[in-house]
């Protein structure tokens, strides 16, 4: 997870120049909540929240200088205007997110199985109950 700003922006940690606009998904999104918490830990809150429905729309607004957004770093790789963006690394205790996947028993697919195998290869912890359910 990284905070993204326009390339022209300086520090996002300067109290005298905190980003005033936060660009995020709608209320209830965990990434939005995390960015709100990032502001709160610094004793600040965004004056405006622009709600958008896609990462690429968010990145376009960020590149145009409208505000900052929080998103997975992997999203930036496919963005054609990445030179107009600046990544701001988060502290190690704030830079990752837990993703939980659910699916109905017996509804496994080749894609789900491939994801499970990839996670196992990478050493990701998969509870045995989940692993057993996906094998069955």
């Amino acid at each position: 997870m990284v905070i993204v700003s326009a390339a022209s922006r300086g520090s996002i940690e300067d109290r005298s120049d905190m980003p005033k606009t936060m660009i995020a998904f709608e209320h209830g999104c965990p990434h939005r909540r995390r960015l709100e918490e990032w502001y709160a830990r610094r004793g600040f809150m965004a004056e405006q929240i622009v709600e958008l429905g896609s990462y690429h729309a968010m990145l376009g607004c960020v590149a145009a200088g409208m505000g900052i957004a929080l998103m997975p770093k992997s999203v930036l790789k496919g963005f054609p205007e990445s030179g107009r963006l600046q990544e701001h690394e988060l502290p190690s205790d704030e830079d990752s997110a837990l993703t939980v996947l659910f699916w109905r028993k017996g509804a496994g697919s080749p894609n789900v199985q491939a994801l499970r195998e990839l996670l196992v290869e990478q050493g990701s912890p998969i509870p045995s109950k989940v692993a057993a359910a996906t094998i069955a």
Side-chain angles (χ1 to χ4, degrees), residues 27-39:
H27 186 71
C29 170
H31 297 336
R32 175 182 174 151
R33 184 176 61 246
R34 182 176 279 186
L35 188 53
E36 290 170 338
E37 291 168 357
W38 178 86
Y39 273 105

Side-chain angles (χ1 to χ4, degrees), residues 18 22 26 42 49 55-56 74 87 89 98 129:
M18 288 292 284
M22 180 176 94
E26 65 185 33
R42 285 146 185 86
I49 300 173
Y55 285 126
H56 283 86
S74 61
E87 294 177 33
E89 300 290 331
L98 175 65
K129 190 173 192 177

Side-chain angles (χ1 to χ4, degrees), residues 17-131:
D17 189 30
M18 288 292 284
K20 294 176 178 47
T21 302
M22 180 176 94
I23 301 169
F25 288 117
E26 65 185 33
H27 186 71
C29 170
H31 297 336
R32 175 182 174 151
R33 184 176 61 246
R34 182 176 279 186
L35 188 53
E36 290 170 338
E37 291 168 357
W38 178 86
Y39 273 105
R41 280 191 297 280
R42 285 146 185 86
F44 196 80
M45 193 55 214
E47 294 175 10
Q48 181 177 351
I49 300 173
V50 176
E51 294 182 349
L52 297 171
S54 77
Y55 285 126
H56 283 86
M58 287 180 202
L59 288 171
C61 290
V62 168
M66 285 180 62
I68 63 170
L70 177 107
M71 62 188 61
K73 192 173 187 172
S74 61
V75 172
L76 304 175
K77 292 178 184 170
F79 188 66
E81 296 291 324
S82 60
R84 296 178 56 200
L85 301 171
Q86 179 179 176
E87 294 177 33
H88 303 271
E89 300 290 331
L90 294 167
S92 61
D93 61 335
E94 298 177 31
D95 70 347
S96 61
L98 175 65
T99 301
V100 180
L101 303 173
F102 293 91
W103 57 90
R104 188 176 48 244
K105 186 176 182 177
S109 70
N111 291 340
V112 170
Q113 185 61 26
L115 175 60
R116 181 188 173 283
E117 290 169 6
L118 179 65
L119 292 171
V120 169
E121 283 175 21
Q122 293 180 353
S124 297
I126 299 177
S128 59
K129 190 173 192 177
V130 173

